[in-house]
PDB file of all heavy atoms in Angstrom:
ATOM      1  N   GLY A 253       2.527  16.781  -6.800  1.00 93.00           N
ATOM      2  CA  GLY A 253       3.434  17.498  -7.715  1.00 93.00           C
ATOM      3  C   GLY A 253       3.812  16.664  -8.921  1.00 93.00           C
ATOM      4  O   GLY A 253       3.904  17.176 -10.048  1.00 93.00           O
ATOM      5  N   ILE A 254       4.022  15.375  -8.722  1.00 94.00           N
ATOM      6  CA  ILE A 254       4.354  14.488  -9.840  1.00 94.00           C
ATOM      7  C   ILE A 254       3.201  14.453 -10.837  1.00 94.00           C
ATOM      8  O   ILE A 254       3.394  14.614 -12.043  1.00 94.00           O
ATOM      9  CB  ILE A 254       4.680  13.058  -9.351  1.00 94.00           C
ATOM     10  CG1 ILE A 254       6.035  13.036  -8.644  1.00 94.00           C
ATOM     11  CG2 ILE A 254       4.668  12.061 -10.511  1.00 94.00           C
ATOM     12  CD1 ILE A 254       6.347  11.719  -7.961  1.00 94.00           C
ATOM     13  N   SER A 255       1.998  14.240 -10.337  1.00 91.00           N
ATOM     14  CA  SER A 255       0.855  14.130 -11.259  1.00 91.00           C
ATOM     15  C   SER A 255       0.574  15.444 -11.975  1.00 91.00           C
ATOM     16  O   SER A 255       0.084  15.444 -13.104  1.00 91.00           O
ATOM     17  CB  SER A 255      -0.387  13.624 -10.526  1.00 91.00           C
ATOM     18  OG  SER A 255      -0.808  14.554  -9.555  1.00 91.00           O
ATOM     19  N   GLU A 256       0.895  16.565 -11.345  1.00 92.00           N
ATOM     20  CA  GLU A 256       0.708  17.864 -12.003  1.00 92.00           C
ATOM     21  C   GLU A 256       1.815  18.157 -13.013  1.00 92.00           C
ATOM     22  O   GLU A 256       1.572  18.764 -14.048  1.00 92.00           O
ATOM     23  CB  GLU A 256       0.657  18.980 -10.961  1.00 92.00           C
ATOM     24  CG  GLU A 256      -0.609  18.950 -10.114  1.00 92.00           C
ATOM     25  CD  GLU A 256      -0.587  19.949  -8.965  1.00 92.00           C
ATOM     26  OE1 GLU A 256       0.497  20.533  -8.680  1.00 92.00           O
ATOM     27  OE2 GLU A 256      -1.640  20.137  -8.342  1.00 92.00           O
ATOM     28  N   SER A 257       3.027  17.723 -12.719  1.00 93.00           N
ATOM     29  CA  SER A 257       4.172  18.014 -13.591  1.00 93.00           C
ATOM     30  C   SER A 257       4.311  17.038 -14.749  1.00 93.00           C
ATOM     31  O   SER A 257       4.787  17.411 -15.820  1.00 93.00           O
ATOM     32  CB  SER A 257       5.471  17.997 -12.770  1.00 93.00           C
ATOM     33  OG  SER A 257       5.426  18.968 -11.759  1.00 93.00           O
ATOM     34  N   TRP A 258       3.963  15.790 -14.518  1.00 93.00           N
ATOM     35  CA  TRP A 258       4.125  14.751 -15.526  1.00 93.00           C
ATOM     36  C   TRP A 258       2.809  13.987 -15.660  1.00 93.00           C
ATOM     37  O   TRP A 258       2.585  12.972 -14.980  1.00 93.00           O
ATOM     38  CB  TRP A 258       5.264  13.810 -15.150  1.00 93.00           C
ATOM     39  CG  TRP A 258       6.600  14.468 -15.113  1.00 93.00           C
ATOM     40  CD1 TRP A 258       7.362  14.842 -16.181  1.00 93.00           C
ATOM     41  CD2 TRP A 258       7.344  14.842 -13.946  1.00 93.00           C
ATOM     42  NE1 TRP A 258       8.526  15.421 -15.751  1.00 93.00           N
ATOM     43  CE2 TRP A 258       8.543  15.435 -14.378  1.00 93.00           C
ATOM     44  CE3 TRP A 258       7.118  14.737 -12.578  1.00 93.00           C
ATOM     45  CZ2 TRP A 258       9.503  15.919 -13.501  1.00 93.00           C
ATOM     46  CZ3 TRP A 258       8.062  15.217 -11.700  1.00 93.00           C
ATOM     47  CH2 TRP A 258       9.244  15.799 -12.167  1.00 93.00           C
ATOM     48  N   PRO A 259       1.924  14.409 -16.549  1.00 88.00           N
ATOM     49  CA  PRO A 259       0.593  13.794 -16.674  1.00 88.00           C
ATOM     50  C   PRO A 259       0.602  12.309 -17.024  1.00 88.00           C
ATOM     51  O   PRO A 259      -0.363  11.615 -16.757  1.00 88.00           O
ATOM     52  CB  PRO A 259      -0.080  14.596 -17.795  1.00 88.00           C
ATOM     53  CG  PRO A 259       0.737  15.812 -17.983  1.00 88.00           C
ATOM     54  CD  PRO A 259       2.098  15.535 -17.448  1.00 88.00           C
ATOM     55  N   ARG A 260       1.685  11.800 -17.599  1.00 90.00           N
ATOM     56  CA  ARG A 260       1.747  10.378 -17.948  1.00 90.00           C
ATOM     57  C   ARG A 260       2.179   9.513 -16.776  1.00 90.00           C
ATOM     58  O   ARG A 260       2.238   8.294 -16.888  1.00 90.00           O
ATOM     59  CB  ARG A 260       2.690  10.170 -19.132  1.00 90.00           C
ATOM     60  CG  ARG A 260       2.096  10.771 -20.410  1.00 90.00           C
ATOM     61  CD  ARG A 260       2.873  10.434 -21.642  1.00 90.00           C
ATOM     62  NE  ARG A 260       2.995   8.989 -21.803  1.00 90.00           N
ATOM     63  CZ  ARG A 260       4.078   8.407 -22.308  1.00 90.00           C
ATOM     64  NH1 ARG A 260       5.097   9.122 -22.705  1.00 90.00           N
ATOM     65  NH2 ARG A 260       4.121   7.110 -22.443  1.00 90.00           N
ATOM     66  N   ILE A 261       2.473  10.144 -15.661  1.00 94.00           N
ATOM     67  CA  ILE A 261       2.813   9.389 -14.458  1.00 94.00           C
ATOM     68  C   ILE A 261       1.610   9.450 -13.520  1.00 94.00           C
ATOM     69  O   ILE A 261       1.216  10.511 -13.052  1.00 94.00           O
ATOM     70  CB  ILE A 261       4.059   9.951 -13.749  1.00 94.00           C
ATOM     71  CG1 ILE A 261       5.269   9.940 -14.684  1.00 94.00           C
ATOM     72  CG2 ILE A 261       4.352   9.137 -12.488  1.00 94.00           C
ATOM     73  CD1 ILE A 261       6.509  10.586 -14.096  1.00 94.00           C
ATOM     74  N   ARG A 262       1.021   8.290 -13.286  1.00 93.00           N
ATOM     75  CA  ARG A 262      -0.086   8.192 -12.333  1.00 93.00           C
ATOM     76  C   ARG A 262       0.487   7.822 -10.970  1.00 93.00           C
ATOM     77  O   ARG A 262       1.532   7.171 -10.880  1.00 93.00           O
ATOM     78  CB  ARG A 262      -1.079   7.142 -12.791  1.00 93.00           C
ATOM     79  CG  ARG A 262      -1.790   7.562 -14.081  1.00 93.00           C
ATOM     80  CD  ARG A 262      -2.592   6.442 -14.645  1.00 93.00           C
ATOM     81  NE  ARG A 262      -1.636   5.388 -15.002  1.00 93.00           N
ATOM     82  CZ  ARG A 262      -1.951   4.183 -15.397  1.00 93.00           C
ATOM     83  NH1 ARG A 262      -3.185   3.828 -15.489  1.00 93.00           N
ATOM     84  NH2 ARG A 262      -1.018   3.300 -15.708  1.00 93.00           N
ATOM     85  N   VAL A 263      -0.192   8.242  -9.926  1.00 94.00           N
ATOM     86  CA  VAL A 263       0.290   7.965  -8.575  1.00 94.00           C
ATOM     87  C   VAL A 263      -0.832   7.378  -7.728  1.00 94.00           C
ATOM     88  O   VAL A 263      -1.999   7.711  -7.898  1.00 94.00           O
ATOM     89  CB  VAL A 263       0.869   9.228  -7.895  1.00 94.00           C
ATOM     90  CG1 VAL A 263       2.071   9.748  -8.651  1.00 94.00           C
ATOM     91  CG2 VAL A 263      -0.181  10.317  -7.765  1.00 94.00           C
ATOM     92  N   ILE A 264      -0.442   6.486  -6.835  1.00 94.00           N
ATOM     93  CA  ILE A 264      -1.343   5.893  -5.856  1.00 94.00           C
ATOM     94  C   ILE A 264      -0.602   5.892  -4.525  1.00 94.00           C
ATOM     95  O   ILE A 264       0.585   5.556  -4.476  1.00 94.00           O
ATOM     96  CB  ILE A 264      -1.736   4.449  -6.234  1.00 94.00           C
ATOM     97  CG1 ILE A 264      -2.524   4.424  -7.543  1.00 94.00           C
ATOM     98  CG2 ILE A 264      -2.528   3.780  -5.109  1.00 94.00           C
ATOM     99  CD1 ILE A 264      -2.818   3.023  -8.052  1.00 94.00           C
ATOM    100  N   ALA A 265      -1.304   6.247  -3.468  1.00 92.00           N
ATOM    101  CA  ALA A 265      -0.735   6.184  -2.122  1.00 92.00           C
ATOM    102  C   ALA A 265      -1.676   5.357  -1.257  1.00 92.00           C
ATOM    103  O   ALA A 265      -2.897   5.479  -1.376  1.00 92.00           O
ATOM    104  CB  ALA A 265      -0.569   7.584  -1.545  1.00 92.00           C
ATOM    105  N   THR A 266      -1.112   4.486  -0.422  1.00 90.00           N
ATOM    106  CA  THR A 266      -1.942   3.665   0.452  1.00 90.00           C
ATOM    107  C   THR A 266      -1.555   3.880   1.902  1.00 90.00           C
ATOM    108  O   THR A 266      -0.414   4.207   2.222  1.00 90.00           O
ATOM    109  CB  THR A 266      -1.811   2.161   0.128  1.00 90.00           C
ATOM    110  OG1 THR A 266      -0.505   1.713   0.523  1.00 90.00           O
ATOM    111  CG2 THR A 266      -2.049   1.885  -1.344  1.00 90.00           C
ATOM    112  N   GLY A 267      -2.521   3.673   2.761  1.00 87.00           N
ATOM    113  CA  GLY A 267      -2.286   3.765   4.196  1.00 87.00           C
ATOM    114  C   GLY A 267      -3.578   3.493   4.931  1.00 87.00           C
ATOM    115  O   GLY A 267      -4.672   3.621   4.366  1.00 87.00           O
ATOM    116  N   ARG A 268      -3.464   3.109   6.172  1.00 81.00           N
ATOM    117  CA  ARG A 268      -4.651   2.867   6.993  1.00 81.00           C
ATOM    118  C   ARG A 268      -5.191   4.210   7.469  1.00 81.00           C
ATOM    119  O   ARG A 268      -4.463   4.990   8.064  1.00 81.00           O
ATOM    120  CB  ARG A 268      -4.299   1.974   8.164  1.00 81.00           C
ATOM    121  CG  ARG A 268      -3.899   0.588   7.720  1.00 81.00           C
ATOM    122  CD  ARG A 268      -3.670  -0.334   8.901  1.00 81.00           C
ATOM    123  NE  ARG A 268      -3.212  -1.613   8.427  1.00 81.00           N
ATOM    124  CZ  ARG A 268      -1.961  -2.040   8.541  1.00 81.00           C
ATOM    125  NH1 ARG A 268      -1.051  -1.300   9.120  1.00 81.00           N
ATOM    126  NH2 ARG A 268      -1.623  -3.213   8.074  1.00 81.00           N
ATOM    127  N   PRO A 269      -6.460   4.474   7.221  1.00 75.00           N
ATOM    128  CA  PRO A 269      -7.016   5.802   7.515  1.00 75.00           C
ATOM    129  C   PRO A 269      -6.971   6.206   8.983  1.00 75.00           C
ATOM    130  O   PRO A 269      -6.818   7.386   9.288  1.00 75.00           O
ATOM    131  CB  PRO A 269      -8.460   5.715   7.007  1.00 75.00           C
ATOM    132  CG  PRO A 269      -8.740   4.282   6.799  1.00 75.00           C
ATOM    133  CD  PRO A 269      -7.436   3.578   6.627  1.00 75.00           C
ATOM    134  N   VAL A 270      -7.069   5.250   9.880  1.00 74.00           N
ATOM    135  CA  VAL A 270      -7.060   5.600  11.301  1.00 74.00           C
ATOM    136  C   VAL A 270      -5.744   6.280  11.675  1.00 74.00           C
ATOM    137  O   VAL A 270      -5.724   7.291  12.374  1.00 74.00           O
ATOM    138  CB  VAL A 270      -7.296   4.342  12.180  1.00 74.00           C
ATOM    139  CG1 VAL A 270      -7.091   4.641  13.643  1.00 74.00           C
ATOM    140  CG2 VAL A 270      -8.685   3.783  11.926  1.00 74.00           C
ATOM    141  N   GLU A 271      -4.637   5.747  11.180  1.00 75.00           N
ATOM    142  CA  GLU A 271      -3.331   6.305  11.499  1.00 75.00           C
ATOM    143  C   GLU A 271      -3.042   7.593  10.736  1.00 75.00           C
ATOM    144  O   GLU A 271      -2.117   8.321  11.066  1.00 75.00           O
ATOM    145  CB  GLU A 271      -2.217   5.288  11.205  1.00 75.00           C
ATOM    146  CG  GLU A 271      -2.147   4.138  12.194  1.00 75.00           C
ATOM    147  CD  GLU A 271      -3.063   2.978  11.825  1.00 75.00           C
ATOM    148  OE1 GLU A 271      -3.848   3.106  10.857  1.00 75.00           O
ATOM    149  OE2 GLU A 271      -3.007   1.951  12.517  1.00 75.00           O
ATOM    150  N   LEU A 272      -3.827   7.886   9.697  1.00 78.00           N
ATOM    151  CA  LEU A 272      -3.580   9.065   8.868  1.00 78.00           C
ATOM    152  C   LEU A 272      -4.611  10.174   9.101  1.00 78.00           C
ATOM    153  O   LEU A 272      -4.706  11.091   8.290  1.00 78.00           O
ATOM    154  CB  LEU A 272      -3.570   8.662   7.387  1.00 78.00           C
ATOM    155  CG  LEU A 272      -2.431   7.726   6.991  1.00 78.00           C
ATOM    156  CD1 LEU A 272      -2.610   7.249   5.564  1.00 78.00           C
ATOM    157  CD2 LEU A 272      -1.092   8.412   7.163  1.00 78.00           C
ATOM    158  N   GLN A 273      -5.342  10.095  10.185  1.00 79.00           N
ATOM    159  CA  GLN A 273      -6.329  11.135  10.466  1.00 79.00           C
ATOM    160  C   GLN A 273      -5.640  12.482  10.562  1.00 79.00           C
ATOM    161  O   GLN A 273      -4.538  12.604  11.077  1.00 79.00           O
ATOM    162  CB  GLN A 273      -7.075  10.831  11.764  1.00 79.00           C
ATOM    163  CG  GLN A 273      -8.026   9.675  11.628  1.00 79.00           C
ATOM    164  CD  GLN A 273      -8.744   9.359  12.920  1.00 79.00           C
ATOM    165  OE1 GLN A 273      -8.402   9.857  13.976  1.00 79.00           O
ATOM    166  NE2 GLN A 273      -9.758   8.515  12.824  1.00 79.00           N
TER     167      GLN A 273
END
Side-chain angles (χ1 to χ4, degrees):
I254 288 172
S255 65
E256 290 173 349
S257 300
W258 296 285
R260 291 188 57 215
I261 301 175
R262 293 171 296 172
V263 298
I264 296 174
T266 70
R268 294 185 184 106
V270 172
E271 287 87 354
L272 295 173
Q273 288 179 349

